[in-house]
């Protein structure tokens, strides 16, 4: 296989070609790699008409696991070496904002037990609490859940009556929506002091704790026949309860595909990856083909970033439901057809 330099020199007058792949519904269904995914990646690893390596990154609204650990798992599932330098998950972008909160008391939601706390601490958050810590502090916060032995073992000893929460980060999909909606309502109505008096609604909305979501997906495709509810559905559940309580929607910051912040972050990861592979920092932005299964996150985001977008039929998008809500450059059966079409178009 000729080196990437060959591709760089071949395209030195043009822009470097690169791919960005969504994961769930494109490369994986649940824990299993789609056969088309392995064939598609083989083509980018050199098995293509020009015999060159074509760089690619993975961008997922998934999360709940450290980047290094997830990449080891993806390497084993996909059969190709996936480096954390080519991987962007829902909460990776928080690495670029952590400085503002490093000394603040923050609540993190999502994932199992204290896995997300460990990820947040790895990013540089120093005072990180979970809703299980809240239950360990006062089980009457939510009378319908009893901490399991493993859950209790994952908790920190905190007195939340004297530990006001400054910000809440929903890193990944909450496992106990009822407990998490209850604690979230306590935090935002009482200026961060769980169990404290409710502040006037104007104060709640103007100066309450910051609320940050990392994945807007209402739906995503796992290995069940129909799409599953994602973190965006949790956000809507919380917002509906808060609106019923107060008549207002609590303001929040949204990261994840299709937000501009995530795509700008991903473009930087991609350019760093191109430089690492070829030893040359591209002088112009790469020609990027994003392959995704969800028009709302993958196609909308790629179109907004000025990338070419390919929608596949192996995930959330169902042609029976009518045309996609965001128009892709091309619609393909699966990720292998998407890669074949893009390479033919570019080479
Ligand atoms: O939780 C993961 C899901 O929301 C979507 O993942 O890889 O299709 O962006 P992905
Ligand atoms: Mg997907």
């Amino acid at each position: 296989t000729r080196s990437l330099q060959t591709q760089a020199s071949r395209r030195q007058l043009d822009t470097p070609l690169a791919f960005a792949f969504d994961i769930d519904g494109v490369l994986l269904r649940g824990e299993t790699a789609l056969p088309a995914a392995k064939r598609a990646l083989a083509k980018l690893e050199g098995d293509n008409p020009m015999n060159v390596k074509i760089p690619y990154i993975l961008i997922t609204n998934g999360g709940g696991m450290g980047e290094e650990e997830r990449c080891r798992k993806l390497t084993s599932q996909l059969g190709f070496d996936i480096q954390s330098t080519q991987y962007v998950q829902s909460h990776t972008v928080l690495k670029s904002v952590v400085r503002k909160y490093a000394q603040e008391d923050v609540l993190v939601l999502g994932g199992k037990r204290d896995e997300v706390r460990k990820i947040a601490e790895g990013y540089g958050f120093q005072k990180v609490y979970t809703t299980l810590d809240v239950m360990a502090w006062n089980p009457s916060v939510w009378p319908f859940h009893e901490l399991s032995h493993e859950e209790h073992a994952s908790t920190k000893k905190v007195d939340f009556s004297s530990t006001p929460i400054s910000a809440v980060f929903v890193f990944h999909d909450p496992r106990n929506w009822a407990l998490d909606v209850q604690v979230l309502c306590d935090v935002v109505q009482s200026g961060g002091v769980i169990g404290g008096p409710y502040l006037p609604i104007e104060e709640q909305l103007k100066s309450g704790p910051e609320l940050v979501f990392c994945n807007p997906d209402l739906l995503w495709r796992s290995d069940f026949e129909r799409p599953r509810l994602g973190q965006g559905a949790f956000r809507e559940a919380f917002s509906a309860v808060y609106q019923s309580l107060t008549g207002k929607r609590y303001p929040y910051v949204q990261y994840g595909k299709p937000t501009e912040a995530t795509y700008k972050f991903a473009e930087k990861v991609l350019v760093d990856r191109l430089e690492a592979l070829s030893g040359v920092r591209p002088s112009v932005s790469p020609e990027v083909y994003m392959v995704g299964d969800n028009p709302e996150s993958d196609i909308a985001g790629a179109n907004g970033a000025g990338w070419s977008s390919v929608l596949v039929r192996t995930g959330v998008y169902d042609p029976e439901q009518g045309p996609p809500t965001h128009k892709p450059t091309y619609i393909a059966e699966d990720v292998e057809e998407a890669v074949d079409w893009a390479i033919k178009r570019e080479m």
Side-chain angles (χ1 to χ4, degrees), residues 94 97-98 101-102 106 120-128 169 171:
L94 294 183
V97 301
V98 63
Y101 306 94
V106 302
E121 289 171 342
Y123 286 3
F125 291 93
Q126 292 172 30
K127 299 180 193 169
V128 187
F169 293 88
F171 267 66

Side-chain angles (χ1 to χ4, degrees), residues 31-102:
E31 298 295 312
T32 311
L34 279 76
K38 297 190 173 186
R39 295 194 297 268
L41 295 185
K43 293 176 183 191
L44 299 189
E45 294 286 353
D47 179 13
N48 56 61
M50 299 299 293
N51 289 323
V52 292
K53 274 182 171 291
I54 302 171
Y56 60 92
I57 61 170
L58 307 185
I59 316 178
T60 176
N61 276 345
M65 192 183 284
E67 282 77 7
E68 297 289 344
E69 184 188 352
R70 182 71 200 276
C71 287
R72 281 193 296 276
K73 196 171 172 192
L74 285 164
T75 297
S76 144
Q77 289 166 317
L78 296 168
F80 291 97
D81 183 28
I82 304 294
Q83 300 279 327
S84 58
T85 53
Q86 61 187 123
Y87 177 68
V88 177
Q89 62 185 348
S90 57
H91 42 75
T92 310
V93 65
L94 294 183
K95 290 182 179 176
S96 58
V97 301
V98 63
R99 215 187 337 271
K100 178 179 165 190
Y101 306 94

Side-chain angles (χ1 to χ4, degrees), residues 166-340:
S166 301
V168 182
F169 293 88
V170 187
F171 267 66
H172 190 44
D173 301 44
R175 283 351 188 220
N176 185 334
W177 282 26
L179 165 63
D180 288 4
V181 167
Q182 174 63 76
V183 172
L184 203 37
C185 287
D186 288 330
V187 167
V188 298
Q189 291 183 93
S190 306
V193 180
I194 298 171
Y198 293 154
L199 302 183
I201 183 67
E202 299 72 27
E203 210 174 315
Q204 291 181 29
L205 300 174
K206 192 162 54 61
S207 52
E210 195 166 1
L211 175 54
V212 179
F213 291 94
C214 294
N215 166 8
D217 287 355
L218 281 176
L219 295 170
W220 65 290
R221 189 65 188 272
S222 183
D223 45 3
F224 187 64
E225 273 322 296
R226 305 305 308 150
R228 303 295 75 195
L229 295 176
Q231 189 184 127
F234 170 77
R235 183 199 67 215
E236 288 309 298
F238 157 71
S239 298
V241 168
Y242 182 82
Q243 180 142 24
S244 299
L245 291 170
T246 65
K248 302 284 186 188
R249 277 180 76 91
Y250 195 78
Y252 58 85
V253 173
Q254 182 69 66
Y255 290 116
K257 298 178 290 183
T259 67
E260 187 183 3
T262 288
Y263 275 85
K264 281 210 179 310
F265 184 88
E267 178 127 16
K268 186 183 174 313
V269 168
L270 184 54
V271 170
D272 290 350
R273 175 81 179 155
L274 282 166
E275 181 176 12
L277 288 175
S278 64
V280 177
R281 189 149 188 93
S283 51
V284 290
S285 293
E287 178 65 47
V288 185
Y289 282 81
M290 168 101 197
V291 184
D293 69 300
N294 187 335
E296 303 299 326
S297 59
D298 304 314
I299 307 307
N303 292 351
W307 298 353
S308 299
S309 56
V310 186
L311 177 61
V312 294
R313 297 192 182 91
T314 50
V316 167
Y317 169 59
D318 173 2
E320 305 282 309
Q321 310 282 315
T325 45
H326 294 272
K327 189 169 172 24
T329 314
Y330 183 67
I331 297 180
E333 197 51 43
D334 57 33
V335 63
E336 181 184 21
E337 187 200 326
V339 165
D340 286 343

Side-chain angles (χ1 to χ4, degrees), residues 156-169:
K156 266 184 179 173
K157 196 166 171 49
V158 188
D159 177 356
F160 287 97
S161 63
S162 58
T163 310
I165 298 296
S166 301
V168 182
F169 293 88

